[in-house]
Amino acid sequence: MSTATPPAPVETKPELKVIEDATCTFCGCVCDDINLTVDVNEKRITKAQNACVLGKAWFFNHHIEERPEALIEGQPATYEEAIDRAADILLNSKFALTYGLSDTTTEAQRVAVAITDWSGGCLDTTTTVCHGPSGMAFQRVGEVTCSLGEIKNRADFLIFWGGNPAESHPRHFTKYSLMPKGEFVPNGRKDRTAVLIDVRKTKSAKAADIFLQVKPRSDFELAWSFRALAKGIEPDPSVEEKTGISIDQMKEVMEGMKKAKFGAILFGMGLTMTRGKHFNSEAILTLARDMNKHTRWVAKPMRGHGNVTGADNVVSWSTGYPFGINLGRGYPRFNPGEFTSTDVLARGEADAALIIASDPMSNFCQPARDHLASIPSVVLDPKMSETARVATVAFTTSTYGINAPGTVYRMDDVPIPLRPAFESPYRSDLEILTAIKNKIRERQLAS
Ligand code: SF4
C-alpha cells in the first residue's frame, strides 16, 4: 500500500475583469453607474458596486444554464430548425399574438413589431398588465413630462402616489428624486418636501414628510379634489368620508404644491391598477397640467421592468399606439379590451403566439393560460419559464444587459446603452427575431 501523500490542490487565481458603468436592467430606474467585477473563467459576476439589493440579486444570480439551443415540442433542436418551425407557425396563423417585450432590447422590440406587421396579428406588451391605463390616459390627455435628471436638479416638491419606491425601485430616492443634491436644490433632501399617498403605510412612508393614507378605491376622488383645489374650488365635504383624508389636509398639501418651484407626481400601479384605472392616471396627468397655472409641475409613471418604457416607445413610434394593437388589416387599430393579450387568449381568438422575454403562463388568468397552452407558440427566454415549458418552439437566449448589447429606455424615456459583462453561448433575442423575420419575408416573397 502506498504511503505517499496526495499532492496539495493547486490554487488558481480567478481571472477578473471590471466593466465600468454597466447598466442594471432589473427595474425601470436602469441605473447605468454599476461597476461589475466578472470572473472571466467561471462566467459569473462577483461584485456589483453601486447596485441596490435587487440589482445585486439580478447580477449575482445570473448563470449560463446548460440547455439546447432550442426545443421543438420538447425535443432538442438547432437554432436553424427552430427558426424554420417558428416561421411556419407564424405564417400559417390567421390571428397570431405577439406579447412580452419589456425585458429585451429596443433593437429586438423593433424586429418583433415588424414580424407582427408582416404576419398580421395582435401586438401587446406587459404594459397591458401594469401601466396600460396610463398608456390610455396619455392618448387622451397627453403628459407634462421631464427627465429624471430634471427632477434631481430641480424638484423641491415630490408626490409619490400608489407606489413603494423604497422597496420596488430602491435607488430612486437616492439617485434621482428625494435625496440627491441638485443644481437648484443644493441641500438635497433638506430642500425638498415629499408626500406619499397610498392605501397602506409602506417603508416609503418613513421617507416622506407627509403621508396621506387614502381609503382603497378612492384615488380618483382624491385626485379630483386636488384638481378642484388647484382651480380654487372647494371640494364637496363628502370626499372626506370617501377618501379618509380631510379637506384641511388636502389644502395643506395644495398650498405646498402651489408654493413649489418645481413639483413632480410619480405614480405607480397602486393608482393605475385599482378602481378607476385609466381615469385615475388621467386625473393625475390633468392635475399636473392644472398645476402649471401656478408653477412648474410634471407627472411620471414609475415603471417596473428594465425596458418596458422602450416597449412603449418602440410600439408607439411604429404604430402610433403603445399596446393592445391589431395589425390584421394592414394598418394599426388600438383597442385595449379587444386586442389585449389576456382578452384575445381568454376568448380563444389567437391561433398562435410569439412570446418574447415574458412568462404569461405564470401570471395570466386561467382561461388565457389554458388557451395559450393549446395553440402553437414560439417563446424566447433565457430561462425555462412556465411559458417556455408549454411552447411548441422554445429558444434559449442570452440575457440582455448582462450578455447581449443594445439599448434600453429608462422610465423617463431616456435611452441608455447596455455594456454587457461577458458573452453567452446563446443568441440574443435580436439575432433570433431577425432570422425569423427574414425567413417569413423570404417565404412571403417566394409565394
Ligand atoms: S434601482 Fe433598479 S436599476 Fe438601479 S440598481 Fe436597483 S434594481 Fe438595478
Side-chain angles (χ1 to χ4, degrees):
M1 203 170 116
S2 165
T3 53
T5 48
V10 183
E11 274 192 27
T12 51
K13 273 197 170 177
E15 190 188 332
L16 302 177
K17 76 171 175 184
V18 175
I19 313 290
E20 288 187 354
D21 295 331
T23 302
C24 175
T25 53
F26 186 76
C27 85
C29 285
V30 188
C31 300
D32 58 346
D33 58 350
I34 314 291
N35 297 329
L36 297 177
T37 305
V38 181
D39 184 330
V40 178
N41 298 324
E42 293 289 315
K43 286 194 179 269
R44 82 192 161 85
I45 294 163
T46 56
K47 269 191 206 158
Q49 192 192 2
N50 295 337
C52 71
V53 61
L54 300 179
K56 284 196 164 82
W58 164 248
F59 286 117
F60 296 161
N61 291 337
H62 178 73
H63 306 289
I64 304 272
E65 288 178 14
E66 280 207 20
R67 280 168 56 191
E69 291 181 348
L71 295 173
I72 299 179
E73 290 168 6
Q75 297 305 310
T78 63
Y79 279 129
E80 276 60 38
E81 291 164 338
I83 287 161
D84 242 16
R85 184 66 183 273
D88 280 347
I89 290 172
L90 296 170
L91 276 169
N92 290 331
S93 69
K94 290 203 174 75
F95 196 126
L97 166 71
T98 301
Y99 175 74
L101 296 175
S102 56
D103 276 319
T104 189
T105 61
T106 295
E107 291 79 358
Q109 291 164 346
R110 290 178 68 157
V111 183
V113 175
I115 291 175
T116 321
D117 198 6
W118 288 120
S119 56
C122 267
L123 177 61
D124 199 26
T125 75
T126 61
T127 285
T128 194
V129 288
C130 60
H131 271 280
S134 307
M136 292 164 70
F138 294 145
Q139 294 279 325
R140 287 165 59 96
V141 298
E143 182 187 23
V144 189
T145 185
C146 73
S147 71
L148 288 175
E150 282 175 279
I151 291 178
K152 176 189 167 188
N153 281 304
R154 295 175 185 277
D156 57 352
F157 204 107
L158 297 157
I159 298 179
F160 297 94
W161 197 322
N164 178 14
E167 290 181 288
S168 61
H169 300 78
R171 293 187 76 206
H172 200 284
F173 282 166
T174 52
K175 189 166 155 61
Y176 301 116
S177 55
L178 195 57
M179 311 301 289
K181 293 178 178 169
E183 195 174 345
F184 301 102
V185 276
N187 302 307
R189 178 69 183 90
K190 288 191 193 126
D191 286 339
R192 306 182 203 260
T193 303
V195 177
L196 182 84
I197 303 174
D198 207 345
V199 293
R200 62 193 173 93
K201 203 167 189 173
T202 60
K203 269 196 179 168
S204 300
K206 283 193 203 127
D209 301 298
I210 300 169
F211 172 56
L212 300 183
Q213 187 158 2
V214 61
K215 282 189 185 170
R217 301 162 61 80
S218 64
D219 296 88
F220 178 80
E221 286 80 358
L222 183 59
W224 222 251
S225 303
F226 278 127
R227 286 201 70 198
L229 289 169
K231 289 171 183 278
I233 299 165
E234 186 74 9
D236 188 276
S238 66
V239 296
E240 294 193 334
E241 168 64 22
K242 178 74 196 165
T243 63
I245 314 285
S246 71
I247 290 176
D248 284 345
Q249 281 176 300
M250 295 180 205
K251 282 182 176 167
E252 185 195 334
V253 171
M254 179 49 64
E255 212 173 298
M257 288 170 74
K258 286 180 180 171
K259 280 189 192 146
K261 289 201 175 87
F262 188 111
I265 308 173
L266 301 154
F267 57 101
M269 281 170 59
L271 184 92
T272 63
M273 279 296 168
T274 52
R275 176 182 156 267
K277 291 197 166 184
H278 58 286
F279 290 115
N280 292 349
S281 299
E282 215 172 290
I284 295 299
L285 296 171
T286 43
L287 171 61
R289 195 176 66 191
D290 295 343
M291 289 307 298
N292 279 274
K293 288 255 165 36
H294 305 280
T295 180
R296 175 76 174 138
W297 270 84
V298 297
K300 296 287 309 165
M302 298 280 291
R303 306 308 305 274
H305 292 277
N307 200 21
V308 68
T309 308
D312 287 358
N313 273 274
V314 170
V315 176
S316 296
W317 84 51
S318 314
T319 69
Y321 307 106
F323 70 105
I325 299 145
N326 184 278
L327 294 160
R329 288 190 187 162
Y331 58 88
R333 288 179 295 154
F334 173 59
N335 198 5
E338 185 180 5
F339 301 136
T340 29
S341 338
T342 44
D343 304 284
V344 294
L345 288 172
R347 287 194 302 262
E349 290 170 357
D351 62 356
L354 170 63
I355 313 287
I356 299 135
S358 182
D359 191 13
M361 285 301 285
S362 301
N363 52 45
F364 274 12
C365 62
Q366 194 61 44
R369 295 207 305 255
D370 288 346
H371 187 67
L372 179 57
S374 74
I375 57 175
S377 61
V378 179
V379 174
L380 281 72
D381 206 303
K383 301 213 177 314
M384 185 42 80
S385 64
E386 288 305 307
T387 310
R389 272 181 227 287
V390 302
T392 315
V393 181
F395 287 95
T396 310
T397 58
S398 55
T399 301
Y400 82 133
I402 296 182
N403 311 125
T407 313
V408 297
Y409 276 63
R410 208 168 56 188
M411 65 165 81
D412 55 348
D413 303 292
V414 171
I416 309 270
L418 299 175
R419 294 183 184 84
F422 54 89
E423 281 188 6
S424 160
Y426 302 115
R427 294 188 194 172
S428 66
D429 293 332
L430 174 63
E431 289 168 314
I432 294 168
L433 290 170
T434 305
I436 295 173
K437 186 196 82 172
N438 291 345
K439 187 68 76 180
I440 289 174
R441 287 304 292 146
E442 212 175 90
R443 294 207 197 150
Q444 283 177 329
L445 292 169
S447 65

